[in-house]
Amino acid sequence: MVIFILGFIMEMFAQERGTKIELIFSDTDSVKLITAIVREQHPEDMGAPVAGIDLYFYVQRSFSLLPIGSVFNTTDESGKVEIEFPSDLPGDTVGNVILLVKIEDTPPYRDTTIQKNISWGIPLVFDEQENKRSLWAARANAPMSLILLVNSILLVVWGIIAYILFQLYMIYKEESASAKKTRQDKCSDN
Amino acid sequence: MEPILKTKENQQVLNDLTTPIVKTGRNFKLLMLVLSIVIVFGIFAYYRQLKHGLIVTAMRDYTSWGIYISNFVFFVAVSLVGSLISSILKLANAKWSYPLTRIAEMVAVASIICASIIIIVDMGRPDRFFYVITHARIQSPIIWDVIVIITYLVISILLLLLPLLPDLAICRDQLNGISQWKKRFYKAISLNWKGSPMQQKRLKRASSILEIMVIPVAFAIHTITSWLFATTWRPGWDSTNLGPYFVSGAFMLGAAVIVIAMYFVRRNFHLQAYLTHEHFDKMGKILVMLSLVYLYFNINEYLGPAFKMVGVEGEHVTELFSGKYATLYWFVQIIGLILPIIILLFRRGRKPLIMLLVSFMVLLGAWLKRFLIVIPSLQHPYLPIQDVHESYHHYYPTWEEWAITFATFAGVILMVGLMMKIFPVIPITESINNRSSKIADNDTSNK
């Protein structure tokens, strides 16, 4: 029991060790390789390579992180691990993607994440068709010819209706005016 | 307005044609009561639909248009009669048709109002109708239909009102023993009509323009209604023939509706002297001609797909010719189209009572035809119907749908009936003028 408690207290007060991840990118004959070198963090020199530690490589997507590389990417005795970057990943409009390399849940090393922008993605080409005026586009992108045609027809038809309503108004108005004039004439005669 | 009414004969014409306005028989009141009950029942069904949603109907994801849309197409078709009688026959100088114009215009106005109502009923959420306007896509045939229906409604009301002005003035000045509200109504709506030369000139100008304009608008309303189908990718609708097919069917139906209305107006209002056997004979000839045109389009519509029998289109045609809908399809073609043509080709077939029966056959056939246009096509989508509830596979209208549909029919009859109690059902002024010109023609020929 005492041993267990002591172990627990030691674990609590034990300090996690920091690591430093260095990334090297190489692109030879369209084969894109990422080499990560993991060293222990040291305030003065480079620090010793960390062997046998698993790294996780991800590419940032819209809603989550996409894992790349092998299932296990374990460093060798020189702290190195190498993975191949997929050739079919879409990037932004110029092909940039955000690469993340993580050390996760690997005591005694602290969780570490580094991220880097690389231009190894396929440049994203927006389909301009969607913004073009067409019959199947949004209402703001209706074909100009259709807008002109429909509005012209509406203008002509409703113009004629307005003219007919005006004629009806004049039928009403003229007779009212003539009746009023007759009454005024009668009054003045009297 | 008084000079034309001075003679005894003309006074008689006035009495004959205004009697339906002044006197209301018991049968008419009973009819109005029955129609009102049907409408109230329809409103109750609609209340249930509003409360529970469209789930009370038999419409589901595949058959998303049911008898509401069939009924909508039917009433749009009936409304075309206004342009046929009031415009086409008038422009063709068919003077015999003048007693029919008012009936046609009344039917047109009532039908287009009910067509507008039924389309809002079909929407399920009527409050969303305004989104159709505020979020309108000018590329969509639905918004074209909304625009053209509103336009046609306005034109139909004008087409009814314009030739009415002289008659309304007669009612205003000559009718005694009518209620006060009617007198005030005639005064307000007759627009101070005195028949002065200037008023006559303006009315003639406006009427001539309207009579011409209503033709393209009438063609547009039913062609656009057909485009609602033709622009949707479904077997049976993917046809360039659909526009003229719909228009010709509408004219045939409109003519049949006029014959039915003529028969009852003639009989119930005792207007045998104004709606004669000659009118029935001529309307019969028009109906047979329009039926032949529709038959031609029918052959065009089905021959191509039936000859090729390609894929789902073939399945759809087979379903109509010998499948689930075969009885209905052949009933429509034989009872609603071929038999009326055969009967109407003979002079005896153009007698009032036979014409009435034939017109009912055409009417029933036309309604069922709209059902056949809408439903079987929707039940044959291009993607297979899989993993859905059993109710998605068929369409049998619920009592709520039938109640609302019958209510719209009752609505049209009620509106036409009420209009006949307010407006002279046969134009008075034209009847008098026509009578005078006939007498003048006889005098000239005697000399």
Side-chain angles (χ1 to χ4, degrees), chain B residues 12 50 73 88 95 115 122 157 159 174-175 202 214 228 233 257 295 338 366 368 373 381 394 435 446-447:
Chain B
Q12 184 58 44
L50 281 180
V73 179
I88 297 172
K95 282 187 179 161
D122 184 70
I157 292 170
L159 207 61
Q174 303 290 323
L175 288 189
R202 285 193 188 280
V214 71
L228 294 179
W233 200 41
V257 170
L295 178 67
I338 295 167
L368 293 172
I373 289 172
H394 51 75
R435 194 184 165 87
N446 288 342
K447 277 175 192 175

Short mmCIF file of all heavy atoms in Angstrom, two decimals, chain B residues 12 50 73 88 95 115 122 157 159 174-175 202 214 228 233 257 295 338 366 368 373 381 394 435 446-447:
data_model
loop_
_atom_site.label_atom_id
_atom_site.label_comp_id
_atom_site.label_asym_id
_atom_site.label_seq_id
_atom_site.Cartn_x
_atom_site.Cartn_y
_atom_site.Cartn_z
N GLN B 12 -89.60 44.15 -73.29
CA GLN B 12 -89.79 42.72 -73.04
C GLN B 12 -88.42 42.01 -72.86
O GLN B 12 -88.24 41.17 -71.98
CB GLN B 12 -90.58 42.09 -74.21
CG GLN B 12 -90.92 40.62 -74.03
CD GLN B 12 -91.74 40.36 -72.78
OE1 GLN B 12 -92.69 41.09 -72.48
NE2 GLN B 12 -91.35 39.35 -72.01
N LEU B 50 -54.46 21.70 -42.58
CA LEU B 50 -53.61 22.73 -41.98
C LEU B 50 -53.11 22.28 -40.61
O LEU B 50 -51.97 22.53 -40.24
CB LEU B 50 -54.38 24.04 -41.84
CG LEU B 50 -54.53 24.90 -43.09
CD1 LEU B 50 -55.32 26.14 -42.76
CD2 LEU B 50 -53.18 25.29 -43.68
N VAL B 73 -55.08 21.97 -62.97
CA VAL B 73 -54.94 21.97 -64.44
C VAL B 73 -56.33 22.01 -65.08
O VAL B 73 -56.55 22.70 -66.08
CB VAL B 73 -54.14 20.73 -64.91
CG1 VAL B 73 -54.02 20.70 -66.42
CG2 VAL B 73 -52.76 20.72 -64.29
N ILE B 88 -62.24 34.93 -79.36
CA ILE B 88 -62.01 34.30 -80.68
C ILE B 88 -63.28 34.36 -81.53
O ILE B 88 -63.24 34.79 -82.69
CB ILE B 88 -61.49 32.85 -80.52
CG1 ILE B 88 -60.14 32.88 -79.81
CG2 ILE B 88 -61.37 32.16 -81.87
CD1 ILE B 88 -59.58 31.54 -79.41
N LYS B 95 -71.65 36.51 -84.85
CA LYS B 95 -72.63 37.28 -84.08
C LYS B 95 -73.59 36.41 -83.27
O LYS B 95 -74.12 36.84 -82.25
CB LYS B 95 -73.42 38.20 -85.01
CG LYS B 95 -72.62 39.43 -85.38
CD LYS B 95 -73.43 40.43 -86.16
CE LYS B 95 -72.57 41.64 -86.48
NZ LYS B 95 -73.10 42.43 -87.58
N ALA B 115 -58.82 27.85 -59.41
CA ALA B 115 -57.50 27.30 -59.75
C ALA B 115 -56.43 27.90 -58.84
O ALA B 115 -55.55 27.20 -58.35
CB ALA B 115 -57.17 27.57 -61.22
N ASP B 122 -52.62 23.10 -52.28
CA ASP B 122 -51.60 22.08 -52.55
C ASP B 122 -50.27 22.40 -51.86
O ASP B 122 -49.48 21.50 -51.60
CB ASP B 122 -51.39 21.95 -54.06
CG ASP B 122 -50.42 20.86 -54.40
OD1 ASP B 122 -50.77 19.69 -54.20
OD2 ASP B 122 -49.29 21.16 -54.82
N ILE B 157 -61.44 39.39 -65.34
CA ILE B 157 -62.37 40.29 -64.64
C ILE B 157 -62.69 41.48 -65.54
O ILE B 157 -63.85 41.89 -65.66
CB ILE B 157 -61.78 40.73 -63.28
CG1 ILE B 157 -61.72 39.52 -62.33
CG2 ILE B 157 -62.61 41.85 -62.66
CD1 ILE B 157 -60.94 39.76 -61.06
N LEU B 159 -62.55 41.52 -68.78
CA LEU B 159 -63.33 41.02 -69.92
C LEU B 159 -64.79 40.83 -69.54
O LEU B 159 -65.69 40.95 -70.38
CB LEU B 159 -62.74 39.67 -70.37
CG LEU B 159 -62.92 39.28 -71.82
CD1 LEU B 159 -62.28 40.28 -72.76
CD2 LEU B 159 -62.32 37.91 -72.08
N GLN B 174 -83.11 51.06 -64.43
CA GLN B 174 -84.42 50.48 -64.77
C GLN B 174 -84.99 49.49 -63.75
O GLN B 174 -86.19 49.27 -63.73
CB GLN B 174 -84.32 49.74 -66.13
CG GLN B 174 -83.84 50.62 -67.27
CD GLN B 174 -84.88 51.66 -67.69
OE1 GLN B 174 -86.07 51.37 -67.67
NE2 GLN B 174 -84.42 52.84 -68.04
N LEU B 175 -84.09 48.90 -62.97
CA LEU B 175 -84.60 47.84 -62.10
C LEU B 175 -85.25 48.39 -60.84
O LEU B 175 -84.67 49.19 -60.12
CB LEU B 175 -83.47 46.89 -61.69
CG LEU B 175 -82.93 45.96 -62.79
CD1 LEU B 175 -81.99 44.94 -62.18
CD2 LEU B 175 -84.05 45.25 -63.54
N ARG B 202 -64.54 55.17 -75.91
CA ARG B 202 -63.52 54.65 -74.99
C ARG B 202 -63.76 53.17 -74.70
O ARG B 202 -62.82 52.37 -74.66
CB ARG B 202 -63.54 55.44 -73.67
CG ARG B 202 -62.92 56.80 -73.78
CD ARG B 202 -62.68 57.42 -72.41
NE ARG B 202 -62.26 58.80 -72.53
CZ ARG B 202 -61.03 59.19 -72.82
NH1 ARG B 202 -60.09 58.28 -73.03
NH2 ARG B 202 -60.72 60.47 -72.92
N VAL B 214 -56.32 39.05 -74.80
CA VAL B 214 -56.64 37.85 -73.99
C VAL B 214 -56.19 36.55 -74.70
O VAL B 214 -55.88 35.57 -74.03
CB VAL B 214 -58.14 37.81 -73.64
CG1 VAL B 214 -59.00 37.51 -74.83
CG2 VAL B 214 -58.41 36.83 -72.52
N LEU B 228 -44.89 23.25 -66.63
CA LEU B 228 -44.61 22.77 -65.27
C LEU B 228 -44.32 21.28 -65.32
O LEU B 228 -43.51 20.75 -64.58
CB LEU B 228 -45.80 23.00 -64.34
CG LEU B 228 -46.20 24.43 -64.02
CD1 LEU B 228 -47.41 24.44 -63.10
CD2 LEU B 228 -45.07 25.19 -63.37
N TRP B 233 -38.43 16.08 -65.35
CA TRP B 233 -38.00 14.88 -66.07
C TRP B 233 -38.74 13.65 -65.55
O TRP B 233 -38.35 13.05 -64.54
CB TRP B 233 -36.50 14.71 -65.93
CG TRP B 233 -35.93 13.82 -66.99
CD1 TRP B 233 -36.25 13.79 -68.31
CD2 TRP B 233 -34.93 12.82 -66.80
NE1 TRP B 233 -35.54 12.84 -68.97
CE2 TRP B 233 -34.70 12.22 -68.06
CE3 TRP B 233 -34.22 12.35 -65.71
CZ2 TRP B 233 -33.79 11.20 -68.24
CZ3 TRP B 233 -33.30 11.34 -65.89
CH2 TRP B 233 -33.09 10.77 -67.14
N VAL B 257 -68.11 22.88 -71.11
CA VAL B 257 -68.61 23.57 -69.91
C VAL B 257 -69.65 24.62 -70.30
O VAL B 257 -70.68 24.77 -69.63
CB VAL B 257 -67.44 24.20 -69.12
CG1 VAL B 257 -67.94 25.12 -68.03
CG2 VAL B 257 -66.57 23.11 -68.51
N LEU B 295 -58.04 15.09 -80.48
CA LEU B 295 -57.77 13.69 -80.84
C LEU B 295 -56.45 13.59 -81.60
O LEU B 295 -55.63 12.72 -81.35
CB LEU B 295 -58.92 13.14 -81.69
CG LEU B 295 -58.77 11.71 -82.19
CD1 LEU B 295 -58.80 10.71 -81.05
CD2 LEU B 295 -59.85 11.36 -83.20
N ILE B 338 -63.81 9.94 -78.17
CA ILE B 338 -64.24 9.36 -79.46
C ILE B 338 -65.77 9.34 -79.58
O ILE B 338 -66.33 9.77 -80.61
CB ILE B 338 -63.63 7.96 -79.66
CG1 ILE B 338 -62.11 8.11 -79.77
CG2 ILE B 338 -64.18 7.27 -80.91
CD1 ILE B 338 -61.32 6.84 -79.68
N ALA B 366 -62.34 14.78 -69.27
CA ALA B 366 -61.28 15.80 -69.14
C ALA B 366 -60.69 15.79 -67.74
O ALA B 366 -59.48 15.92 -67.57
CB ALA B 366 -61.85 17.17 -69.48
N LEU B 368 -60.66 13.24 -65.60
CA LEU B 368 -59.89 11.99 -65.43
C LEU B 368 -58.59 12.04 -66.24
O LEU B 368 -57.58 11.49 -65.84
CB LEU B 368 -60.74 10.79 -65.85
CG LEU B 368 -61.95 10.52 -64.94
CD1 LEU B 368 -62.84 9.44 -65.54
CD2 LEU B 368 -61.49 10.10 -63.54
N ILE B 373 -52.68 12.41 -66.48
CA ILE B 373 -51.46 13.16 -66.84
C ILE B 373 -50.54 13.25 -65.61
O ILE B 373 -49.33 13.10 -65.71
CB ILE B 373 -51.81 14.57 -67.37
CG1 ILE B 373 -52.45 14.47 -68.77
CG2 ILE B 373 -50.59 15.48 -67.42
CD1 ILE B 373 -53.01 15.78 -69.30
N PRO B 381 -40.83 7.05 -61.47
CA PRO B 381 -39.62 7.87 -61.49
C PRO B 381 -38.49 7.13 -62.19
O PRO B 381 -38.57 5.90 -62.35
CB PRO B 381 -39.31 8.08 -60.01
CG PRO B 381 -39.93 6.93 -59.34
CD PRO B 381 -41.13 6.53 -60.15
N HIS B 394 -48.29 3.70 -54.16
CA HIS B 394 -49.56 3.93 -54.86
C HIS B 394 -50.14 5.26 -54.42
O HIS B 394 -49.63 5.90 -53.49
CB HIS B 394 -50.54 2.78 -54.59
CG HIS B 394 -50.68 2.49 -53.13
ND1 HIS B 394 -51.40 3.31 -52.29
CD2 HIS B 394 -50.18 1.49 -52.36
CE1 HIS B 394 -51.34 2.81 -51.07
NE2 HIS B 394 -50.61 1.72 -51.07
N ARG B 435 -81.28 42.50 -82.18
CA ARG B 435 -82.69 42.40 -82.59
C ARG B 435 -83.02 43.51 -83.58
O ARG B 435 -83.61 43.26 -84.63
CB ARG B 435 -83.54 42.55 -81.32
CG ARG B 435 -84.96 42.17 -81.42
CD ARG B 435 -85.61 42.49 -80.08
NE ARG B 435 -87.03 42.49 -80.23
CZ ARG B 435 -87.77 41.39 -80.11
NH1 ARG B 435 -87.20 40.26 -79.81
NH2 ARG B 435 -89.08 41.43 -80.26
N ASN B 446 -86.92 42.94 -97.62
CA ASN B 446 -88.31 43.04 -98.09
C ASN B 446 -88.46 44.10 -99.17
O ASN B 446 -89.20 43.92 -100.14
CB ASN B 446 -89.24 43.36 -96.93
CG ASN B 446 -89.40 42.15 -96.00
OD1 ASN B 446 -89.10 41.03 -96.42
ND2 ASN B 446 -89.84 42.37 -94.79
N LYS B 447 -87.72 45.22 -98.96
CA LYS B 447 -87.79 46.29 -99.96
C LYS B 447 -87.16 45.84 -101.27
O LYS B 447 -87.56 46.18 -102.35
CB LYS B 447 -87.05 47.52 -99.44
CG LYS B 447 -87.94 48.36 -98.52
CD LYS B 447 -87.15 49.51 -97.92
CE LYS B 447 -87.93 50.15 -96.79
NZ LYS B 447 -87.17 51.18 -96.10
#
